[in-house]
Amino acid sequence: MSTSDTRPHAAQPGYAFDLDTAVTRIADGAYTATVTDRWAALGGMPNGGYLLGICIEALRGDLPAPDPLAVSGFFLRAAEPGPAELRTKIVHAGRRHSTGIVTLTQREREIVRVVATFTDLARTEGRTLMLNEPPDLPPPESCVDPLGGNAFPGISITERVEYRMREAPGWLSGALSGDPRAEFWMRFKDGRPIDTIPLVALVDAAAPVVVELGEGSSTIELSVHVRARPSPSPWVACRASTRHVIGGYHEEDFEIWDGDGNLVAQSRQLAILPH
Amino acid sequence: MSTSDTRPHAAQPGYAFDLDTAVTRIADGAYTATVTDRWAALGGMPNGGYLLGICIEALRGDLPAPDPLAVSGFFLRAAEPGPAELRTKIVHAGRRHSTGIVTLTQREREIVRVVATFTDLARTEGRTLMLNEPPDLPPPESCVDPLGGNAFPGISITERVEYRMREAPGWLSGALSGDPRAEFWMRFKDGRPIDTIPLVALVDAAAPVVVELGEGSSTIELSVHVRARPSPSPWVACRASTRHVIGGYHEEDFEIWDGDGNLVAQSRQLAILPH
């Protein structure tokens, strides 16, 4: 197996995701990074998936396996654009799975705490059985851009990520659908290829589906399971749904399918409606 | 609000779950416990949910809020019956949410690493909207005991937890259904009331639904979201499903609904088929 097979995620120089998640190693298990203002989500704060991307960028260099397999991030405080410090620690390096922790700190306050298990998804073996289908979407070029080319000042993630939907969603035209489910295409606006590293960020890169209930959302915990390496197509098909809003808390389930119709990532987050 | 409202989870003396998850504080953030052989699952090893129960028992005394809200456990190595050490650390104590970590170690090898956010689920406020229904099951007394009163030597969790199903599942009668979904009732055999603490264990207390594919399963990561305090009924209704088995890995989604038909816990685990 060639080096490129076992470590396929060399930085993709010049792409926004790689520039903005870059970390600088200052000592064993210690990194610095800059949280940019270029991935601000609804609400204006740095997107949680983007922060997870920085964390995974710090951790992946320490672990022998190339692909994040299971990642859980706890969001303790709101991040802000500016410098950040990261600390990593390997807690188990097994033959097949390696697990580490990483924390992202700003001004000596812990912002995100992540535990992640990595593996080599090029070496999986064993059974495959699917009881689910990819989103039923026309090709991206036959879909509409829900943002309609508009600028959304302060929501800078819309300058980094593009979306395509069967039709424009209710909440963006001022008529809430009341249905917290969505299917859509997504890609990096600069065409960055999607490998297993950015999947960890992209599961959180769309507006929360509770916007169709007139609500915002703030992530408490986000678990991502990366299920396969994506095919090269820059577009991925996404399915998001919330089925239970209880006492102001809700889950959001998110699936990402590659251009060949394979499930490549699955996530669930527990989030809270602001009030 | 009375003390019993804000900390409703006083130990329930004499019940197996409480006896077998008990911890002894030996210093700030340091506990000892005994992993018993009384919660062995298919495969004969201590059940992952049981281990999570010990971890949460250690952590909950350190945190100001009574209810686990979001719990993520990474299972690094197989546990074995015998002594264990636990280390806890508070990473953020907020007004509403408190987050801590806990590790369970045996023979100086880390077995489980957990991050958990606690809150007070008696004080939730905000919207409720349900787009899902509880399992459609006859009352427990009209269901069958899938184990048929048989003993399963070595699978001692079947002596702690009882199940009731509409009909006996295929895998137990030697005819695999091929359908990795199940709905059933569950309760502690000794009648222990179900509050938010054991929910964290019960999401992992049934056979994995991939048994209907003729497979076993070994948990890598388990995320539990506790959504509400259960009503007093000892029986809870459960729904488990696996939709994607890919290259030997699979997720299992699990819901627990209380006797009043309210969703009280939701979990997802990533697991691997042994081979």
Side-chain angles (χ1 to χ4, degrees), chain A residues 190-243:
Chain A
D190 60 12
R192 187 207 191 280
I194 295 179
D195 52 43
T196 57
I197 300 292
L199 285 176
V200 167
L202 289 176
V203 295
D204 193 44
V209 283
V210 292
V211 291
E212 289 291 1
L213 306 176
E215 302 284 359
S217 178
S218 190
T219 306
I220 293 171
E221 191 262 346
L222 170 61
S223 291
V224 190
H225 297 152
V226 176
R227 305 300 301 270
R229 292 190 181 174
S231 63
S233 158
W235 287 107
V236 287
C238 305
R239 177 182 286 132
S241 72
T242 289
R243 292 179 305 148

Side-chain angles (χ1 to χ4, degrees), chain A residues 125 129 131 223 243 245 247 249, chain B residues 125 129 131 223 243 245 247:
Chain A
E125 41 192 60
L129 177 77
L131 298 170
S223 291
R243 292 179 305 148
V245 182
Y249 294 93
Chain B
E125 39 192 59
L129 178 76
L131 298 171
S223 291
R243 292 179 305 148
V245 182

Side-chain angles (χ1 to χ4, degrees), chain A residues 30-116:
Chain A
Y31 299 82
T32 57
T34 299
V35 175
T36 72
D37 61 3
R38 307 203 316 152
W39 300 81
L42 280 177
M45 255 119 47
N47 169 253
Y50 165 55
L51 300 173
L52 215 47
I54 299 173
C55 291
I56 290 299
E57 182 61 23
L59 187 58
R60 75 189 184 94
D62 292 351
L63 293 176
D67 299 300
L69 172 68
V71 178
S72 169
F74 282 74
F75 294 83
L76 308 173
R77 298 178 173 92
E80 47 190 50
E85 295 175 358
L86 296 110
R87 294 282 180 281
T88 62
K89 186 179 151 195
I90 300 178
V91 297
H92 181 52
R95 189 179 52 83
R96 182 162 180 172
H97 299 121
S98 299
T99 301
I101 62 173
V102 49
T103 58
L104 186 151
T105 299
Q106 291 189 298
R107 301 181 186 189
E108 297 179 9
R109 290 152 62 94
E110 188 169 322
I111 307 294
V112 190
R113 174 165 290 250
V114 176
V115 186

